[in-house]
Amino acid sequence: MLRFKDLNSLIRYLNEELNKLLIAKKVLDDEVRRDPLVDIIEIDKNGNINIKRDRISEVMKGLSSELDRRIERISSLLEELTSEFNNYNFTGIVLLEFNNGIPSRVLLSQPLTMGEGS
Amino acid sequence: MIPIVPVLIIIIMIGMLVLGLIRPPLTVIIPLLGIYVILMLIPYILPNLAINQYLSIKYIMLPVIGLAMGYGISILMSRYMNIDVRSLFGLGRSKGRAGRPRTMSNQRIKRPEIKPEELDKLINESINTLRLGISINETLGSWVEYYDGWTDAIIGISRRFMDIRESADIISKEALLLSRIRQYESKALALGLTLREESAFKKQRRSNSEDRLVVYARPEELVNELMNATQIMSVYVDELGGILEKLIHDNGISQYIFNSRMLILYVDGVPRKLIMINKGY
């Protein structure tokens, strides 16, 4: 779960993520087509660094669909945010909720204000 | 001469009324009524024995009515006047105490025994579910990023680290604040203030449906989620920070990173693999 200071910064973040993913996907697709041997620096769970050579398609096995799902999800989040708020900047609690490692929902909430009566 | 039997019947009726007030269990009422009915039926069982004109089937009803009245009054009093008649007689409490252990021992017998080997299995299953919950549901997932060079890549990872650390900081502070919001609310009420949502927010909330991607939630509804996120994020920030440190200071890496473009593979939100792509290989 990530917290943003307002809706605009969430939208900016999502746009950046989407761009990064689209670029990475394009590069990845090109590379997989050529499929060269590449140097891979691996950092394991204990923080140790290993270096090995492998085919890029081996490393990225199964990742392409994961990337697609992520791209799709972020696009639909952005779409709904734009259609619902249309540049209105909601300042309150803005949370991006992850489900199964994929950005899934935007939670909006607001600190309550004090008033006399109701 | 005073007619003894009518007086007796009235005394019995009052007795039954009091009994009704106490609301005893059926095992007490039924034998008492049984004895009374048999008494009243004596003239019919033994027709020759004419003891008294009042020993007749008509008068069976009187004590029953007394019992019903007592029972009714007792229930009405406890419901509408908040008086437990039984406790006035000093009976209710001791009865409750006697009743509770019995139900407890019944439950103990009914509950299925768990064998030690099943217990082991259960524990393992729960640990697995918990672990899955942490690694699959809560992390930031896997993805790939592309950078033109090492410096860009480090800047990219650092920025992500800072963003997430900041986010985790805010979440942990807010979780704490929101968990106290009920206290604030009662304090505010005591001061004659109310806590309210802004009307624009309310309006948007009303048009809210289940399958929307953008969801409005009350701050206090978020408390648990924020609490969970706080723990997960702090572990995550530590790990990401450690890796960033390693990448910057590890000498072995330098020969590989010179002037190469790279793909960075994030697994569970942590950069795990740096893939060097060299043009014209």
Side-chain angles (χ1 to χ4, degrees):
Chain A
M1 188 180 270
L2 293 176
R3 164 74 160 94
F4 296 88
K5 82 178 200 305
D6 53 27
L7 205 57
N8 281 352
S9 45
L10 169 68
I11 291 174
R12 204 181 313 125
Y13 170 84
L14 287 176
N15 272 321
E16 272 176 28
E17 288 296 295
L18 189 62
N19 281 337
K20 275 189 203 167
L21 290 174
L22 288 172
I23 293 169
K25 191 178 156 47
K26 192 177 164 296
V27 173
L28 186 61
D29 286 349
D30 287 351
E31 291 301 316
V32 168
R33 214 168 297 128
R34 293 196 300 131
D35 206 13
L37 267 175
V38 285
D39 291 323
I40 298 157
I41 299 170
E42 260 187 0
I43 304 135
D44 68 13
K45 293 264 179 215
N46 303 320
N48 298 321
I49 290 176
N50 304 307
I51 295 162
K52 63 173 190 180
R53 306 200 103 194
D54 206 343
R55 295 266 165 214
I56 205 163
S57 58
E58 278 302 304
V59 188
M60 294 300 175
K61 214 184 269 173
L63 203 85
S64 187
S65 61
E66 177 92 15
L67 269 182
D68 287 342
R69 275 200 298 151
R70 214 176 169 86
I71 288 169
E72 202 178 300
R73 193 68 190 188
I74 292 179
S75 313
S76 47
L77 275 173
L78 275 170
E79 207 170 288
E80 185 157 331
L81 283 172
T82 335
S83 77
E84 184 145 336
F85 292 94
N86 191 29
N87 285 334
Y88 164 71
N89 190 13
F90 177 88
T91 47
I93 300 174
V94 181
L95 293 164
L96 178 62
E97 192 182 46
F98 285 74
N99 189 14
N100 292 326
I102 294 204
S104 65
R105 287 199 304 173
V106 175
L107 291 173
L108 299 179
S109 199
Q110 197 168 48
L112 299 171
T113 49
M114 293 265 194
E116 282 174 59
S118 61
Chain B
M1 188 189 146
I2 311 157
I4 293 172
V5 175
V7 172
L8 246 170
I9 288 174
I10 286 166
I11 289 172
I12 291 173
M13 186 178 165
I14 292 168
M16 291 303 264
L17 201 136
V18 172
L19 197 69
L21 285 173
I22 296 168
R23 281 191 276 158
L26 280 178
T27 46
V28 177
I29 299 172
I30 289 171
L32 275 173
L33 281 177
I35 291 166
Y36 181 76
V37 166
I38 289 167
L39 257 174
M40 286 291 142
L41 286 177
I42 285 174
Y44 298 89
I45 298 163
L46 305 164
N48 297 334
L49 196 72
I51 300 170
N52 193 293
Q53 52 168 330
Y54 292 104
L55 282 181
S56 138
I57 194 136
K58 280 182 274 180
Y59 299 107
I60 292 176
M61 293 312 293
L62 281 175
V64 177
I65 291 167
L67 180 75
M69 278 170 65
Y71 215 101
I73 291 169
S74 172
I75 288 173
L76 288 178
M77 274 173 83
S78 68
R79 179 164 301 169
Y80 294 109
M81 294 161 69
N82 244 341
I83 300 169
D84 190 0
V85 185
R86 283 179 289 179
S87 63
L88 290 182
F89 288 93
L91 285 168
R93 216 173 288 159
S94 64
K95 204 175 287 164
R97 207 179 294 154
R100 212 167 293 149
R102 200 185 299 149
T103 57
M104 268 175 70
S105 60
N106 282 351
Q107 278 176 353
R108 204 170 297 148
I109 293 162
K110 276 179 206 156
R111 194 188 298 154
E113 290 266 322
I114 298 171
K115 289 174 195 152
E117 60 265 30
E118 286 174 14
L119 197 67
D120 274 355
K121 217 176 86 185
L122 271 177
I123 291 171
N124 279 335
E125 274 174 20
S126 347
I127 290 174
N128 280 339
T129 356
L130 283 175
R131 200 177 287 152
L132 282 178
I134 290 165
S135 66
I136 292 180
N137 289 327
E138 312 289 356
T139 50
L140 303 175
S142 303
W143 69 94
V144 186
E145 282 177 12
Y146 168 78
Y147 293 98
D148 280 332
W150 177 249
T151 319
D152 282 355
I154 288 296
I155 290 173
I157 298 173
S158 314
R159 260 193 68 192
R160 185 170 293 281
F161 171 67
M162 309 261 257
D163 283 352
I164 287 170
R165 193 178 57 183
E166 195 183 336
S167 177
D169 272 0
I170 302 176
I171 286 177
S172 68
K173 277 179 197 146
E174 270 172 353
L176 208 65
L177 176 71
L178 289 176
S179 66
R180 293 190 187 141
I181 209 159
R182 289 228 168 86
Q183 290 172 23
Y184 288 122
E185 195 165 29
S186 57
K187 260 183 205 162
L189 281 174
L191 292 168
L193 298 166
T194 52
L195 294 165
R196 61 183 174 196
E197 294 161 307
E198 274 175 26
S199 55
F201 187 64
K202 255 186 209 162
K203 211 185 298 159
Q204 286 159 340
R205 239 165 82 89
R206 212 165 288 144
S207 63
N208 166 23
S209 73
E210 280 295 306
D211 52 344
R212 297 294 281 277
L213 300 180
V214 181
V215 181
Y216 297 91
R218 294 178 154 281
E220 60 265 36
E221 288 166 0
L222 295 175
V223 174
N224 285 338
E225 295 195 46
L226 288 176
M227 285 290 191
N228 290 340
T230 303
Q231 292 182 348
I232 294 156
M233 297 293 279
S234 75
V235 174
Y236 178 78
V237 166
D238 288 349
E239 184 156 22
L240 191 52
I243 285 175
L244 190 59
E245 192 83 354
K246 265 256 155 60
L247 287 177
I248 295 170
H249 294 120
D250 194 286
N251 292 327
I253 295 178
S254 52
Q255 50 174 315
Y256 292 92
I257 59 179
F258 180 69
N259 253 353
S260 55
R261 304 180 304 140
M262 64 179 74
L263 285 165
I264 297 182
L265 172 56
Y266 280 77
V267 179
D268 284 346
V270 176
R272 287 282 176 217
K273 288 178 183 173
L274 282 62
I275 300 151
M276 311 298 142
I277 335 170
N278 294 310
K279 257 200 173 124
Y281 227 120

